[in-house]
């Protein structure tokens, strides 16, 4: 998932048209992270920045680990390809075996600038695993972001409440 942070404030308030939605789908169906990035770079202003938000929709354990590592590597390569234009957030899902080590490697040697959480995928943000992530990021000044909507992906309807922003503590 890529978002574009535009220097133009009007972009954030703009009403979405059917053409905007079709263009979004057209870009999203590109064959690779590199193809999406190249398209975005070509179509944004020089002062705009792309915020890359990874996803980790795993069923747990080592499920699709090679695919997740490829997503990480492909995102990382775009950071090198477009220095200063891509700000990637690493997706942490504590259901994945080795999630913490994968996060640490992404943040220390692959150009990732922060961590993205998507707790409606089946984990509690107050769990010991996530509190360890909070502590790591806090001590090293890595930003965290979390999906806080009632929509989007979820592992089970009961997990939607895990994305409630009221669960955050200072």
């Amino acid at each position: 998932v890529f978002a574009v942070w535009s220097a133009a404030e009007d972009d954030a308030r703009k009403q979405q048209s059917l053409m905007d939605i079709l263009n979004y789908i057209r870009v999203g169906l590109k064959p690779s992270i590199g193809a999406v990035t190249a398209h975005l770079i070509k179509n944004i202003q020089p002062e705009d920045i792309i915020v890359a938000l990874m996803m980790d929709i795993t069923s747990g354990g080592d499920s699709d680990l090679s695919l997740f590592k490829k997503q990480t590597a492909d995102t990382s390569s775009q950071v090198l390809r477009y220095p200063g234009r891509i700000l990637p957030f690493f997706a942490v899902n504590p259901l994945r075996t080795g999630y913490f080590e994968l996060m640490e490697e992404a943040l220390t040697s692959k150009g990732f600038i922060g961590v993205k959480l998507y707790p409606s995928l089946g984990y509690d943000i107050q769990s010991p695993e996530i509190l360890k992530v909070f502590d790591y990021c806090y001590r090293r000044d890595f930003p965290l972001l979390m999906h806080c909507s009632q929509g989007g992906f979820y592992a089970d309807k009961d997990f939607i409440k895990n994305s409630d922003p009221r669960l955050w503590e200072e």
Side-chain angles (χ1 to χ4, degrees), residues 45-135:
Q45 299 301 313
E47 66 274 10
D48 291 342
I49 296 170
I50 298 172
V51 178
L53 305 173
M54 287 183 62
M55 289 289 289
D56 189 7
I57 307 173
T58 182
S59 57
D62 287 335
S63 173
D64 63 20
L65 180 60
S66 62
L67 183 61
F68 184 70
K69 285 185 171 183
K70 181 175 178 359
Q71 179 187 184
T72 304
D74 290 351
T75 302
S76 179
S77 72
Q78 297 310 301
V79 173
L80 296 173
R81 185 174 176 196
Y82 302 102
R85 301 294 309 273
I86 314 289
L87 302 178
F89 281 72
F90 184 80
V92 166
N93 188 333
L95 303 176
R96 177 172 299 288
T97 301
Y99 74 93
F100 192 85
E101 293 77 16
L102 291 166
M103 174 198 76
E104 194 170 32
E105 180 183 16
L107 293 171
T108 60
S109 65
K110 296 197 178 292
F112 285 77
I113 63 127
V115 169
K116 175 189 164 206
L117 302 174
Y118 208 130
S120 61
L121 294 175
Y123 56 88
D124 181 352
I125 66 163
Q126 296 299 325
S127 69
E129 295 85 6
I130 295 300
L131 292 176
K132 183 179 176 182
V133 171
F134 286 170
D135 185 62

Side-chain angles (χ1 to χ4, degrees), residues 130-159:
I130 295 300
L131 292 176
K132 183 179 176 182
V133 171
F134 286 170
D135 185 62
Y136 181 90
C137 291
Y138 176 76
R139 292 181 186 282
R140 292 161 182 82
D141 288 327
F142 285 114
L144 286 157
L145 65 86
M146 180 177 88
H147 280 259
C148 295
S149 69
Q150 298 297 312
F153 292 99
Y154 53 86
D156 183 278
K157 286 189 179 198
D158 290 338
F159 293 134

Side-chain angles (χ1 to χ4, degrees), residues 14-31:
K14 186 173 92 172
Q15 199 68 36
Q16 299 300 309
S17 70
L18 179 57
M19 198 58 167
D20 292 330
I21 294 167
L22 290 174
N23 282 331
Y24 177 81
I25 292 168
R26 185 174 54 86
V27 173
L29 293 176
K30 293 209 173 284

